[in-house]
Amino acid sequence: MSDRTPEQDWLEKARNGDDDAFARLVETYQTPVYNLCYRMLGESTAAEDAAQETFWRAYQNLKRYDPSRPFITWLLSIAAHHCIDQQRKRRLPLLELDEFPELDIADSSVPNPEKEMSHNQEDAALHQLINQLNPQDRATVILKYWYDCSEEEISQMLSLTVSAVKSRLHRSRQQLAEMLSSNPMLIVNERRTHESPAV
Amino acid sequence: MNHQPYRTMLLDDKPLTPIEKEELSQHLASCTQCAQLDSSLRTLDREFKSAAMVAPAAGFTSRFQASLPARRKQHEYEQTRIIVISMASTAVATCITLAGFLLPIISPITILANLFADLVKLVNTISQFWIIIGSFFHAVPTGLSIGIALTISVWLSFTLLLWGITLYRITLKGIRTTI
């Protein structure tokens, strides 16, 4: 019996030119890649384009992929670099608190307008916060807090030294905490805890 | 009051020893500035933990698959453009370099006159070559001349075919195929 995972089989087939196998990889990793792009760029159309571009770049360079690294790490690295480049090319306008993005939350539970509104508020607030960081700091924070990546993994993904990652995280946390304390409007979670539950 | 060690403890987000925890806790109880930072960081961590993974709109994979032919074509077009631009740039650079070397020494009229003279010489050489070839075929036995002519024709056709395939691949398939 083979110890190979389905992912390794798809990768092997994709490396040999099987487009359907690559499509399975896209299906498997679309959410983490899209989420990273969405958190980096703050806008669904730009995130879709960036995620599609990430998979295209992976498809083109599949033969350069080192199988000793997790495939998702490689994909996230491509996505992060692409989003950083996009951010450097054009500074996106910051989201205002009253501009709530339309989201497709992965866990679409029972429709609940109040809960959804609250989620959107949180997301907009979070975007407003992390959009203040420079693109590389933003990527560091997103990989750390959304993907639970270690400092070593982040350093490999973003081609930085471990000490540079540590210093970026330290600086970003300080910057975010200062913004949060100077703008009480952003603390939506605390407000939510005092709201009456939606029935 | 020295806040720096406590700010570093809070901002570095690393596990603390029991002694460090106790010291930090005592400091936070007496320092509003660091307590405010601690509160903001806790709120921040809560915000990050509660934020959902955002999924793309349905049909993401289908959209990727549908975009593949256009992306491949665009990629091939870009490769072809790169090779054409590189060749053209090389030709222009060579001409400019040659002009830079030759123009101070020889006048443009002399260069043109020399080129024309070389062209005439080339035409004469080709005519003489054909005369020699014609004499050769008259001199050798008919069977041998047909054999030589066939061999030359086959090799010439093969070379032309290879050249045609190469041009076709560069134009339609791009310079390098990735997958």
Side-chain angles (χ1 to χ4, degrees), chain A residues 107 109-122 192 198:
Chain A
D107 176 24
S109 52
V110 184
N112 180 339
E114 194 180 330
K115 193 177 168 188
E116 202 169 304
M117 184 71 164
S118 173
H119 264 305
N120 286 349
Q121 279 182 320
E122 284 166 33
R192 194 181 55 160

Side-chain angles (χ1 to χ4, degrees), chain A residues 3 22 29 39 43 52 69 82 85 105 116 120 128 130 133 154 161 187-188 190:
Chain A
D3 290 339
F22 191 79
Y29 293 114
R39 299 298 174 190
E43 199 249 312
Q52 292 276 350
R69 283 176 74 189
H82 177 64
D85 287 346
I105 304 295
E116 202 169 304
N120 286 349
Q128 202 184 28
I130 60 175
L133 302 173
I154 298 172
T161 61
I187 309 172
V188 283
E190 286 196 341

Side-chain angles (χ1 to χ4, degrees), chain B residues 134-176:
Chain B
S135 313
F136 174 76
F137 277 106
H138 277 112
V140 296
T142 318
L144 185 63
S145 63
I146 290 171
I148 291 170
L150 269 174
T151 310
I152 292 172
S153 307
V154 167
W155 276 108
L156 205 63
S157 308
F158 184 66
T159 312
L160 281 172
L161 185 70
L162 274 183
W163 186 52
I165 290 170
T166 309
L167 280 181
Y168 170 79
R169 277 190 66 84
I170 287 175
T171 314
L172 294 178
K173 304 258 176 190
I175 303 307
R176 126 196 101 167

